[in-house]
Amino acid sequence: MSVSEARRGPLLAIETSCDETSAAVLDGDGRLVSHLIYSQIREHAAYGGVVPELASRRHLEVLPELVDKVLADAAAIGVVPGAMAVTRGPGLVGSLLIGVQYAQAWAGGRRVPLFGIHHIVGHLHAVLLENPSWAYPYLALVVSGGHTELVQVEGPNQFEILARTIDDAAGEAFDKAAKLLGLGYPGGPAVARAARSADRERIRLVSGVMRHSADFSFSGLKTALRYRITNHPLNQGAAALDQGAAPPSAPREVAVLAASFEDAVVEALAEKTQRALDAHRPARFLLTGGVAANECLRARLKKLCESRGVLFAVPRSEYCTDNAAMIAVAARAGAGTVLSHTDSANPSLPL
Ligand code: KG4
Ligand code: ZN
């Protein structure tokens, strides 16, 4: 069987780039027959963020079990993978190494092809899981913990980055805001949850929009929130900044600040997306990455696309956050390169 035939046949995929351990199997028609995601969130929450060493150790413990389980599910319906795909980068180096070396051993031992997939290219193909006829070219907004990019996608390995963040990624901004507000980790869902009880009341924070640039910037917005908190009557003004100001303790105050922050991030993303839609006039638009799980963002960009007659897609939220199913469909679509046993994980793999 040729490598390209193996790509289109039953395929096993794994994802271990950050704090989710995940495995998936596609059948020969590209249908997802088994998919498991083990989230390490609870283990990292106590530290307020992902602890890389802890993440690697957990992947090492959990991954073989997950793979055995998805393979058993697939075998039960007669599906036996003849190829494998793995996230090669970017991500945490230790976590990526566990996944890539496991995959090299699995594929090498069976003499089947192994495809190394860029993590963001996985997010860019998650749309295929529910929308198999989705076609190139399309414009995509990728918003995750490490990335905020508007990408023109021409083919499985052909991308043009139209805009990126010059500082924090959107997800990172949510995570930092949650920390400032005394909400849990991961920050995005925590901020969104707190924001829901804020009714319509909002505080104007500076936006993440740089008027004269296509790029994003979120560090100013985070600082604006920080000043709002330290100027709160419960804190002691600017002096509290350096001593780690306490988060506001009144739930209503937290809710209003969370909602104001969420609105500002959504507006910044929507404004730059609108400019890109008007400049490039794509027929299709995809919203993807962990932050795409945000309900306000989904609704705002859907409306924006509809107003311009652009076909809008966003994966369901379990396919927006990190998962192996997106790595599997990206490999099947032709993304990535064949990895040999001497190739390595690459934590800063370029798009
Ligand atoms: O894609 P992802 O799962 O991992 C990376 O590749 O980074 O994205 C994780 C990011 C985190 O920063 C998390 O706070 C954010 O996605 N996130 C959200 C929501 N759910 C996850 N941000 C805003 N609203 C959400 N509902
Ligand atoms: Zn991701």
Side-chain angles (χ1 to χ4, degrees), residues 90-224:
L92 301 171
V93 62
S95 297
L96 289 166
L97 278 169
I98 305 273
V100 169
Q101 295 188 0
Y102 181 92
Q104 283 167 322
W106 193 92
R110 288 164 180 77
R111 298 187 185 281
V112 301
L114 172 64
F115 303 99
I117 307 295
H118 189 289
H119 179 74
I120 295 303
V121 176
H123 281 302
L124 289 172
H125 287 85
V127 60
L128 293 170
L129 289 160
E130 293 157 283
N131 221 331
S133 59
W134 186 261
Y136 308 107
Y138 54 94
L139 180 71
L141 175 65
V142 191
V143 271
S144 72
H147 289 258
T148 304
E149 273 138 26
L150 275 163
V151 186
Q152 178 65 26
V153 185
E154 297 288 349
N157 294 303
Q158 214 184 329
F159 315 99
E160 188 190 347
I161 298 180
L162 304 177
R164 49 162 49 102
T165 177
I166 59 161
D167 41 55
D168 293 345
E172 191 179 0
F174 268 110
D175 293 336
K176 289 178 177 172
K179 218 173 236 182
L180 289 171
L181 290 168
L183 301 168
Y185 171 83
V191 169
R193 236 183 345 264
R196 257 183 248 141
S197 54
D199 297 326
R200 294 183 171 283
E201 196 184 337
R202 299 288 186 273
I203 288 166
R204 226 193 103 61
L205 296 166
V206 298
S207 78
V209 177
M210 296 186 296
R211 302 264 161 231
H212 305 295
S213 162
D215 288 331
F216 301 96
S217 167
F218 292 106
S219 66
L221 182 55
K222 174 196 63 194
T223 307

Side-chain angles (χ1 to χ4, degrees), residues 20 119 123 144-146 171-172 174-175 186-189 192 289-291 293-295 320-322:
E20 264 93 25
H119 179 74
H123 281 302
S144 72
E172 191 179 0
F174 268 110
D175 293 336
V291 181
N294 185 279
E295 293 298 338
C320 284
T321 46
D322 291 349

Side-chain angles (χ1 to χ4, degrees), residues 12-16 21-25 34-38 59-75 81 84-86 98-99 102-103 106-107 110 324:
L12 166 69
I14 59 171
E15 151 68 42
T16 65
T21 320
S22 181
V25 175
S34 185
H35 185 209
L36 292 173
I37 304 169
Y38 174 84
H59 287 307
L60 193 57
E61 286 162 8
V62 174
L63 182 63
E65 255 180 76
L66 290 194
V67 170
D68 286 350
K69 179 82 176 60
V70 293
L71 288 175
D73 288 349
M84 186 168 182
V86 61
I98 305 273
Y102 181 92
W106 193 92
R110 288 164 180 77

Side-chain angles (χ1 to χ4, degrees), residues 335-348:
T337 52
V338 175
L339 290 189
S340 81
H341 65 280
T342 54
D343 289 320
S344 183
N346 183 352
S348 43

